[in-house]
Amino acid sequence: MIEALLGSVVIFTLATFLGVELINRVPTTLHTPLMSGANAISGITIAGALIVAGGGHGWISTVIGFLAVVFAMINVVGGYAVTDRMLQMFKRKPGAK
Amino acid sequence: MIEALLGSVVIFTLATFLGVELINRVPTTLHTPLMSGANAISGITIAGALIVAGGGHGWISTVIGFLAVVFAMINVVGGYAVTDRMLQMFKRKPGAK
Amino acid sequence: MRIAVLRETAARERRVALAPATVDRLIKQKHQVVVQEGAGVQAFFPDKLYQDSGASIAPTVAAVTAGADLIAKVQPPTIDEAAALPPGAVLVSLMAPHASGSLLDALAKGGVTALALELVPRTTKAQSMDILSSQATIAGYQAVLLGAHRMGRLMPMLTTAAGTLTPAKAFIIGAGVAGLQAIATARRLGAVVSAFDVRPVVKEQVQSLGASFVEAEAKAEGAGGYAKELSTDQQQLVLAAIAKHIKDMDLVIATAAIPGKPAPRLITNEMVESMRPGSVIVDVAAETGGNCEATVAGEERSVGGVTVIGPLNLASTIPNHASFMFSRNIQSLLDHGVKDGAFQANMDDPIIGPMCVTHGGAVRYGRTQ
Amino acid sequence: MRIAVLRETAARERRVALAPATVDRLIKQKHQVVVQEGAGVQAFFPDKLYQDSGASIAPTVAAVTAGADLIAKVQPPTIDEAAALPPGAVLVSLMAPHASGSLLDALAKGGVTALALELVPRTTKAQSMDILSSQATIAGYQAVLLGAHRMGRLMPMLTTAAGTLTPAKAFIIGAGVAGLQAIATARRLGAVVSAFDVRPVVKEQVQSLGASFVEAEAKAEGAGGYAKELSTDQQQLVLAAIAKHIKDMDLVIATAAIPGKPAPRLITNEMVESMRPGSVIVDVAAETGGNCEATVAGEERSVGGVTVIGPLNLASTIPNHASFMFSRNIQSLLDHGVKDGAFQANMDDPIIGPMCVTHGGAVRYGRTQ
Amino acid sequence: MSHAAVILSYLIASVLFILGLKWLSSPATAVRGNRVSGAGMLIAIVVTLLDQAILSFEVIVAGLVVGSAVGLWMARSVKMTAMPQMVALLNGLGGGASLLVGGGEFLKSELVNENLTLDVSITIQLSMLIGAVTIAGSLIAWAKLQEVMTGRAITFPGQKVLNALLFLAVVVLSAYQISVPESLLWPFYAVVGISLLLGILLVIPIGGADMPVVISLLNSYSGIAAAMTGFVIKNDVLIIAGALVGSSGIILSQIMCKAMNRSLANVLFGAFGATSASTKTAEGLTARQTAADDAAVQLAYAKSVIVVPGYGLAVAQAQHLVREMADLIEKKGGEVKYAIHPVAGRMPGHMNVLLAEANVPYDKLFDMDQINAEFERTDVCLVIGANDVVNPAARTDPGSPIYGMPILNADKAASIIVLKRGMGAGFAGIENELFFNPKTAMLFGDAKGSLQKVVTELKAL
Amino acid sequence: MSHAAVILSYLIASVLFILGLKWLSSPATAVRGNRVSGAGMLIAIVVTLLDQAILSFEVIVAGLVVGSAVGLWMARSVKMTAMPQMVALLNGLGGGASLLVGGGEFLKSELVNENLTLDVSITIQLSMLIGAVTIAGSLIAWAKLQEVMTGRAITFPGQKVLNALLFLAVVVLSAYQISVPESLLWPFYAVVGISLLLGILLVIPIGGADMPVVISLLNSYSGIAAAMTGFVIKNDVLIIAGALVGSSGIILSQIMCKAMNRSLANVLFGAFGATSASTKTAEGLTARQTAADDAAVQLAYAKSVIVVPGYGLAVAQAQHLVREMADLIEKKGGEVKYAIHPVAGRMPGHMNVLLAEANVPYDKLFDMDQINAEFERTDVCLVIGANDVVNPAARTDPGSPIYGMPILNADKAASIIVLKRGMGAGFAGIENELFFNPKTAMLFGDAKGSLQKVVTELKAL
Ligand SMILES: NC(=O)c1ccc[n+]([C@@H]2O[C@H](COP(=O)([O-])OP(=O)(O)OC[C@H]3O[C@@H](n4cnc5c(N)ncnc54)[C@H](OP(=O)(O)O)[C@@H]3O)[C@@H](O)[C@H]2O)c1
Ligand SMILES: NC(=O)c1ccc[n+]([C@@H]2O[C@H](COP(=O)([O-])OP(=O)(O)OC[C@H]3O[C@@H](n4cnc5c(N)ncnc54)[C@H](OP(=O)(O)O)[C@@H]3O)[C@@H](O)[C@H]2O)c1
Ligand SMILES: NC(=O)c1ccc[n+]([C@@H]2O[C@H](COP(=O)([O-])OP(=O)(O)OC[C@H]3O[C@@H](n4cnc5c(N)ncnc54)[C@H](O)[C@@H]3O)[C@@H](O)[C@H]2O)c1
Ligand SMILES: NC(=O)c1ccc[n+]([C@@H]2O[C@H](COP(=O)([O-])OP(=O)(O)OC[C@H]3O[C@@H](n4cnc5c(N)ncnc54)[C@H](O)[C@@H]3O)[C@@H](O)[C@H]2O)c1
């Protein structure tokens, strides 16, 4: 059991380092879109929400699960859509070399 | 069993990405030291070699293990020492701000 | 409005009050312009250019001024010319009012409204009419060219097969409009430039042009951005600082001035003698007595191998551009003062009021200051 | 070795053959130096400086040259002076050999070994002795200052409250040593510079100074990096290209030359007339006939408002630095030619041989070319 | 779907998240990055639906549909200027989801009387705590930005002590709950409640202008909450994605602080008596501040740029850098012109001297009359150390000493960047309303330093 | 030691490796990086010794002592110039160790008649294959660099086909061995043998000058081999460290190729008819080429730099960049002087005009007599577009047209970097032996472009 946990800890550690390395230098204009895009990714809780909602452990769980799915889904869909909208301003100029 | 393997695959994948991100832009002067330093790290096979050598599965294994330990240890000790020597040229100048 | 442009008669004066480009604009504004024959020739504006702009050409002063509402000139008119101006007309020109008592009387008697261009207020709004600035710009530039041309050596550093020529050291005394332009020009030519002034704000301006500032423990900031005269103590400090610095200079451009006062004496004969043969002093302040004791206005002398030049009317030696700027200044003044086709000599106007030296038959100069 | 420095007597000549710094060096090398009284005064080297360097001062030509082994001068000696030189002495000076037949005869007769400085080979090795280059450098610089000072307008662009002054357009004809220096100087002053030459390699050099190159379909590269005369066809092409370009120019510096030939005629009277009043042509080639048809050597004329200047001996108007460089060139020549305390007039030497116009009692000039 | 296939699919989703985040941080690839990460999310959702012992699909489908519809509607309708609060809201919902998942798992274990292992217990508590802080904090951030509540920092004595006490309480309660498996429900509710309170208290003392940093930090929290949920349900994709967001969010917060020249600590706690990032004048007008990298992006993507040099450029002696910057913009396809005001600087032709020194070609210099009509068609007007010559008071304020002086129409450009050391006045000594124009961004600092940074950023873009 | 503690210790070691690699790639932190990664290795070794069911310590200790001693001796005795071959050798040994571990595990399973699971079988085969290729390839690379064998590319017809066939054979044999558990030993030996052959064949067609890239690639392989070993013995630290080295090695190879302006494919296969990176002249002399980032590092760490400008600088109109570069070097604590030769350029004072335009202060300009004695004490002499004025032939070759002309003693500096477009001659039209001086590195390209790159790199350092 503890070993499974430790396996997850290893993965968590690696992913944490990876997150640090991925973001190097971001122009200020991208701060909000990047934040928003990362926020959409954190909507991955949706996976957990689905399991809670679909577990069929009585109505309390189901209601909580339903709410969790709705919340997470707003986060996911809203997050991606809004990020995409913000990023429309980064279309390249034609004249650029 | 296959899941344990897959767990390792996940770790392998993350570490691979991390390796890619870690090395961004290296001045030419650092190419050889970096290569050498990375090479020293790949001497981590020493861990495997120790297990083979110390497993006590008969003399063939022991001989092979002994050789493996020697090889890996040369790689490790030689690698770190040689890298350190090369890096001596990167001492900061006193006047720098 | 009928505008008359007279030919200059003063010695060394090659400028003309209005350039063809301004005439063009005035004609478009429905004014009439009469130009005296050959008025622009010395400034490289032949009569033909004026005619092409729509002006008419007249041969004599009388013919030009007859019926004129406004007369534009560079130098003050002679008393005779002044007497011949139509009553009620407006005269725009330099006037040297502090030294032209009888001229002012004549103009007042003739009922002429005379605007002295040297009295333009040095305010931000009046900058486009500021003849002192525009002509000082040219003077500062030309002073350096003159000095460089007369120097025994080159300005820039040159490393050649025949040895390395060190850069000339230029020293600008008085960093007003002319002085700053001199700094810029000397820097362009590659000299190592230093400058001195008594107004403390100037230091930053000097450095903003890449020159170094010579410090003396003296400050003399007067009213309106001008300097004032130094106290005796301060004068000593200044002279000591200059004496120490000037020994080593190859080119000195002196432009220090205090409005309405004789130019401050900042370079003594001893200082001149301390300089190397072959160096040059261009005393732009020669007209008001000179910053240098050795200066003789209008002459070029050698004092122990040091050439001391006291040029007069430097701006006029670049007559084309000087006239162009002069003309643009007058144009801005007219843009400001002309309403409904006539020049409004409004004595309450913050720009025209101070410039007006005679009006309504009376001399105003001295009363308004 | 006893080295004599004579005072120049030619009109307009302000240079001196050896500067005190060089004298200093020669004295350190155990030579004796005698300088004629006042020889350096016009170049801002007072006698005192020579004395401080260890030279002795003598009043007359005779006193200076008596017993001299080597005589240094800028301009060719007069026939009288030549006759007075000690037999066997070496004379180093400009010689204008193609125009100085009788002088050469006199020198040969007197047994003088004469080195004509204008015949220094233009090789890399001889560059430090190359008086043509060093003096042309000064001439190119001074030509621009002269032209800028005489122009009716400023050189740089200036945006001011009294309108925007456009930058002057400068055109350099002939981009040899003087021409390139003129380009650099005009650029420093802020002009928009273009240049023309018939040698194709020059284009890159012109551009390396930030100026643009005016193209004509003509090429005339001669021997030794010099230009040669153009064929009639090519001359037409060149004139057409210049005519098209020059109309719009404010300052023209003409330096085109072909060694030993009269200067090529590149600016016709028509071209001059096509230019704007107030523009200036400085014809540095005036001495050899001028590149401009309207040039009168030694004079400054106005042709329809265009000022055409034909300066003579421009380098001499910056006498101090010109003498410094001249002197350094001679110093290098001596470093090259003096062995064991005496000047070795070795006719097989690749530098001294070609420069030697009289030797061993005979005129060599013409025979060795 | 076999379990191996599920793990592999999750791995693929994780890789897509990694690539997505990487690409999101550069202007050239950001659009692609967001879409790739979206694809990863789709895979993760589909796989989860296929894999798990999901019994009732109705509720799930209903939840998915409602959530998607609301999310899409919100994304569509929000105004561009309201983006930061939108992100705050979405982030809060994400945190809420984590809270619900953690809580749901806890309640489930209570219901089915399952004995939770230690690690699951701990991570459940963590996901609830962090989730609750995230939702409460995000909602406060949203309220501040939306101006539903005051944007000012709200502080009271003992605030830090209170926060510390509350945090301690949560820890103690959680520990109690974990160690006493057959515990009651009240500690559970208390933990949730106190956590929510903590979220509120942590954010209210921070000023409105600093909210973006707070949101980014809360975003990082919600990532960590998701990762904790991953530990709870033993799901790698949650751990990886959560950890990625968790760490990159902190880095991003730091980068944002650096762009504001402050430290993260100063943003979070300094506000106990803090100032906002914008400069206020006597009349309460606000000048918007910007950073060099932002200015660089704006310049890099501008089609037309007009540089207005002034006396400050000369004082800073930054003429060579201006030239370098212009060259870089032109290499990127933009057009750069210089607008020279007749009295810019301190002597006639001051700017000409300066720009000639840097070899700016004459044909790029335009005087006022030539260029004034062009500002309207210009993307960015870059004002470097100029003040009076772009002061609209000359047009509008008859009482001003410069009234009537023609000025450069810098204010007509689509956006204006002003490089100055501070809010110092120019030669005329008067205030300049251009600096308070909503289109204007101030880049404070010596012009040489600022331009150096802009140039460095331009090269990196 | 508990198993959990072991896993945690391995995790710490992994983190140290990660930090070590990261820090190794920047000059300022490289020393620290190497030491941190070394600490990680120490932890990994100690933990392994404590943890595993290690029965006989004598052999292990013997192995450790012998290996350490040999390694230390090699590291101490190698000459600085022989570093690349040293790394090749060490790398080969690492690969060999992987081969032995894989083989050992295989033989052990045979001996104890253990039934290997599929994944272990596969990874054993992989670690052997890759390990064998690594050791064989590395030894060839070593031999080429040590000039034990010819540095030229060795090719023969059908080489690629042969390689493909051999690879196929290995795959088939491995598959056979995996699928037939009670197999014989001959396929095992065959796999090892063919893999070794493959390693040799893959490296011999690559030219000596490209060996560093090959070594870096083989290093990446040995990392992957280590990771495979990790799969075999189910050890995370092996997997992580191996994967890190595996991927960073490939990135490094690519960076190295880019620095040589070539693609990895071109290096590996293009050599079937390849050229080396250095430029050869008629007389067989070789000019060493360098890259902008390398030049930048050299300049950044130099205490004294002398710039020798020449006509090429004027042609390139790169004067402003020279100034910028000098400013950057000075900010980093170096001292920059300019040596102006009397006849540099094409007119008297050409360089003065140029440098004045860039506002280089006069007191940094030195003429030949002033500075010639200083070259000996100078770390880097940067020759920009100059040629004749630094041509030692003027001192040494009486037949040369410039014999006797005094020149700048650029060749006396500790190292020389020359910026030129190619091997073109100068005004005098003669060859310049300075360019073939072993201390000289040529940075080819238009001086403006080259300087631009150097400046960008200097800023990034
Ligand atoms: N051209 C002429 O002939 C002439 C002659 C005399 C007077 N004037 C007057 O001068 C003024 C010229 O206008 P302008 O717009 O050029 O200049 P300005 O109005 O004087 O403004 C210059 C601005 O530059 C900023 N600054 C100073 N040093 C700086 C540095 N190192 N880095 C960044 N910013 C710096 C200052 O703000 P911070 O302190 O906040 O940085 C200041 O507000 C006009 O009022 C004109 O009338 C002109
Ligand atoms: N100063 C004078 O008064 C004067 C007058 C006449 C002649 N000279 C002669 O000119 C020579 C001057 O020597 P120097 O060392 O300055 O110049 P140089 O010997 O002419 O060499 C210049 C070098 O610059 C390189 N180059 C050209 N364009 C370049 C560019 N855009 N980027 C990078 N490199 C470029 C060329 O090599 P690549 O083609 O390989 O790039 C060339 O080898 C001397 O021989 C001197 O005697 C001088
Ligand atoms: N407000 C405007 O827009 C505007 C327009 C034009 C000029 N001005 C300003 O007016 C001021 C005067 O300019 P100016 O050129 O007409 O001045 P000026 O000709 O009266 O004097 C020239 C310079 O000499 C200096 N000076 C006086 N006594 C000195 C002494 N003893 N030693 C050294 N220096 C001495 C003065 O300080 C001044 O800088 C300047 O500051 C100029 O910038 C302002
Ligand atoms: N090898 C050396 O080290 C060295 C030393 C000094 C000079 N030089 C070279 O010698 C050459 C001659 O220099 P110079 O200044 O004595 O030349 P110069 O005085 O003889 O002539 C000046 C210029 O006029 C040009 N010219 C001639 N006819 C022309 C025509 N019809 N139209 C336009 N241009 C015309 C010439 O090409 C030359 O560039 C130059 O290339 C110079 O670089 C070389």
Side-chain angles (χ1 to χ4, degrees), chain C residues 148-163:
Chain C
H149 182 251
R150 291 290 198 280
M151 248 196 319
R153 57 187 340 280
L154 304 196
M155 289 281 261
M157 178 183 189
L158 284 193
T159 301
T160 77

Side-chain angles (χ1 to χ4, degrees), chain E residues 46-268:
Chain E
V46 170
V47 169
T48 309
L49 288 175
L50 293 182
D51 162 56
Q52 296 294 340
I54 286 182
L55 308 174
S56 62
F57 268 95
E58 310 81 37
V59 176
I60 287 179
V61 170
L64 287 177
V65 169
V66 171
S68 303
V70 174
L72 215 56
W73 171 77
M74 283 167 75
R76 286 270 167 79
S77 57
V78 64
K79 273 197 255 110
M80 265 313 201
T81 48
M83 281 299 168
Q85 48 266 55
M86 179 71 187
V87 177
L89 201 60
L90 293 173
N91 187 50
L93 292 173
S98 286
L99 169 61
L100 290 171
V101 173
E105 285 286 315
F106 178 80
L107 291 178
K108 187 190 78 183
S109 72
E110 296 288 304
L111 287 177
V112 302
N113 247 325
E114 183 185 0
N115 239 349
L116 293 177
T117 57
L118 181 64
D119 60 327
V120 172
S121 299
I122 293 177
T123 46
I124 281 183
Q125 295 294 333
L126 280 174
S127 70
M128 276 164 38
L129 163 61
I130 304 175
V133 168
T134 305
I135 185 169
S138 297
L139 287 178
I140 297 294
W142 169 82
K144 286 205 175 204
L145 286 171
Q146 193 69 21
E147 296 179 3
V148 171
M149 65 181 282
T150 171
R152 267 187 299 118
I154 300 174
T155 52
F156 51 85
Q159 200 164 3
K160 283 182 174 173
V161 177
L162 178 63
N163 289 351
L165 287 177
L166 289 177
F167 185 70
L168 207 70
V170 172
V171 172
V172 169
L173 285 170
S174 295
Y176 170 75
Q177 190 146 37
I178 293 167
S179 51
V180 188
E182 68 288 4
S183 63
L184 311 161
L185 279 181
W186 72 260
F188 166 74
Y189 290 117
V191 165
V192 173
I194 299 177
S195 299
L196 288 171
L197 189 58
L198 207 51
I200 295 170
L201 286 176
L202 283 173
V203 177
I204 55 165
I206 304 176
D210 289 338
M211 277 308 126
V213 176
V214 173
I215 299 174
S216 174
L217 200 65
L218 289 172
N219 181 30
S220 163
Y221 291 175
S222 76
I224 298 173
M228 292 305 131
T229 332
F231 281 101
V232 175
I233 62 170
K234 310 234 180 312
N235 185 325
D236 281 353
V237 74
L238 275 167
I239 298 178
I240 295 174
L244 280 175
V245 173
S247 59
S248 64
I250 288 180
I251 297 292
L252 182 56
S253 312
Q254 269 169 354
I255 291 176
M256 286 163 101
C257 290
K258 228 178 104 192
M260 292 162 44
N261 250 328
R262 298 172 61 194
S263 72
L264 193 51
N266 177 282
V267 168
L268 296 184

Side-chain angles (χ1 to χ4, degrees), chain D:
Chain D
M1 201 164 71
R2 190 179 165 89
I3 299 169
V5 181
L6 290 176
R7 185 170 62 215
E8 300 302 318
T9 51
R12 285 193 205 80
E13 187 53 73
R14 297 171 59 192
R15 291 172 290 182
V16 59
L18 292 185
T22 301
V23 170
D24 203 61
R25 197 147 172 279
L26 292 171
I27 301 274
K28 291 220 177 80
Q29 292 169 349
K30 309 265 180 273
H31 298 296
Q32 280 174 282
V33 182
V34 193
V35 179
Q36 191 176 357
E37 207 172 2
V41 165
Q42 295 222 68
F44 306 111
F45 297 124
D47 289 347
K48 171 124 196 350
L49 286 180
Y50 286 101
Q51 282 167 320
D52 292 349
S53 306
S56 50
I57 304 288
T60 61
V61 175
V64 172
T65 54
D69 300 303
L70 187 138
I71 299 102
K73 237 186 129 325
V74 179
Q75 293 291 344
T78 59
I79 307 251
D80 291 349
E81 282 169 340
L85 298 181
V90 177
L91 170 67
V92 176
S93 76
L94 294 171
M95 220 70 79
H98 54 281
S100 314
S102 50
L103 172 64
L104 298 192
D105 290 342
L107 288 167
K109 218 169 95 208
V112 172
T113 297
L115 300 183
L117 288 170
E118 53 266 271
L119 297 181
V120 66
R122 308 298 285 267
T123 60
T124 298
K125 234 185 295 187
Q127 267 184 105
S128 57
M129 314 159 206
D130 183 0
I131 268 158
L132 296 179
S133 282
S134 69
Q135 304 304 302
T137 298
I138 296 200
Y141 164 84
Q142 181 75 328
V144 171
L145 283 193
L146 178 61
H149 182 251
R150 291 292 198 278
M151 251 196 316
R153 61 192 330 285
L154 305 197
M155 288 282 259
M157 179 181 188
L158 283 194
T159 301
T160 76
T164 296
L165 310 181
T166 53
K169 298 199 187 74
F171 179 35
I172 316 296
I173 301 180
V177 177
L180 289 176
Q181 197 66 49
I183 292 173
T185 308
R187 287 250 314 143
R188 281 190 199 261
L189 276 171
V192 175
V193 184
S194 52
F196 171 72
D197 200 305
V198 287
R199 288 180 299 127
V201 286
V202 170
K203 181 176 175 179
E204 190 190 53
Q205 297 174 10
V206 165
Q207 289 168 342
S208 85
L209 285 163
S212 61
F213 191 75
V214 175
E215 306 272 356
E217 304 277 297
K219 294 194 183 353
E221 175 102 51
Y226 285 114
K228 61 177 192 219
E229 280 182 302
L230 292 164
S231 68
T232 328
D233 288 6
Q234 288 187 316
Q235 175 79 2
Q236 288 314 317
L237 287 171
V238 165
L239 288 180
I242 293 180
K244 189 155 160 257
H245 189 71
I246 209 170
K247 282 203 296 292
D248 205 31
M249 294 296 120
D250 299 301
L251 175 63
V252 176
I253 308 284
T255 74
I258 296 156
K261 297 261 160 58
R265 271 288 146 83
L266 298 168
I267 308 173
T268 62
N269 282 335
E270 270 162 41
M271 291 185 205
V272 176
E273 275 148 30
S274 75
M275 291 168 70
R276 270 190 301 271
S279 17
V280 175
I281 298 173
V282 181
D283 195 341
V284 181
E287 249 153 315
T288 53
N291 292 144
C292 173
E293 220 177 329
T295 300
V296 177
E299 281 184 24
E300 180 171 334
R301 314 171 50 198
S302 174
V303 180
V306 177
T307 308
V308 181
I309 313 179
L312 293 176
N313 202 351
L314 258 180
S316 170
T317 63
I318 303 208
N320 189 280
H321 267 168
S323 303
F324 172 82
M325 293 173 90
F326 198 101
S327 170
R328 284 290 286 258
N329 290 142
I330 294 187
Q331 178 183 315
S332 299
L333 182 66
L334 296 188
D335 284 349
H336 177 80
V338 173
K339 291 212 172 75
D340 308 323
F343 191 88
Q344 313 293 328
N346 173 5
M347 293 304 123
D348 296 332
D349 184 278
I351 295 173
I352 294 171
M355 293 175 72
C356 194
V357 287
T358 65
H359 185 57
V363 176
R364 279 171 51 86
Y365 179 69
R367 275 194 290 128
T368 52
Q369 261 67 29

Side-chain angles (χ1 to χ4, degrees), chain C residues 122-124 127 130 132-133 136 173-178 196-199 202 205 224-228 230 235 238 255-259 264 266, chain E residues 346 427:
Chain C
R122 308 298 285 265
T123 60
T124 298
Q127 266 185 104
D130 183 0
L132 296 179
S133 283
I173 301 180
V177 177
F196 171 71
D197 200 306
V198 286
R199 288 181 298 126
V202 170
Q205 297 175 11
Y226 284 114
K228 62 178 191 217
L230 293 166
Q235 176 80 3
V238 165
T255 75
I258 295 157
L266 298 167
Chain E
R346 287 292 181 275
F427 183 82

Side-chain angles (χ1 to χ4, degrees), chain C residues 123-125 127 133 137 177 180 204-205, chain D residues 159-161, chain E residues 308-317 341-351 383-390 402 405 419-429 435 443-448 450:
Chain C
T123 60
T124 298
K125 235 186 294 188
Q127 266 185 104
S133 283
T137 299
V177 177
L180 290 175
E204 190 191 53
Q205 297 175 11
Chain D
T159 301
T160 76
Chain E
V308 176
Y311 180 57
L313 178 66
V315 172
Q317 288 282 298
H341 189 279
V343 303
R346 287 292 181 275
M347 68 159 199
H350 203 158
M351 296 302 116
V383 178
I384 311 180
N387 192 338
D388 297 344
V389 301
V390 291
I402 61 166
M405 179 175 91
L419 273 64
K420 284 175 100 249
R421 292 168 307 186
M423 293 302 286
F427 183 82
F435 305 155
L443 182 51
F444 288 129
D446 181 79
K448 195 167 194 170
S450 299

Side-chain angles (χ1 to χ4, degrees), chain E residues 317 319-321 323-324 327-328 331 356-359 448 452 455-456 459, chain F residues 317 319-321 323-324 327-328 331 356-359 448 452 455-456 459:
Chain E
Q317 288 282 298
Q319 57 269 38
H320 295 283
L321 285 165
R323 167 74 197 275
E324 204 189 337
D327 288 351
L328 286 168
K331 221 159 72 194
E357 208 179 289
N359 249 355
K448 195 167 194 170
Q452 184 61 65
V455 161
T456 309
K459 282 191 186 145
Chain F
Q317 288 283 296
Q319 57 269 39
H320 295 283
L321 285 165
R323 168 75 197 274
E324 203 189 337
D327 288 350
L328 286 168
K331 218 158 72 193
E357 209 178 288
N359 249 355
K448 194 169 195 168
Q452 183 63 68
V455 162
T456 308
K459 284 192 184 145

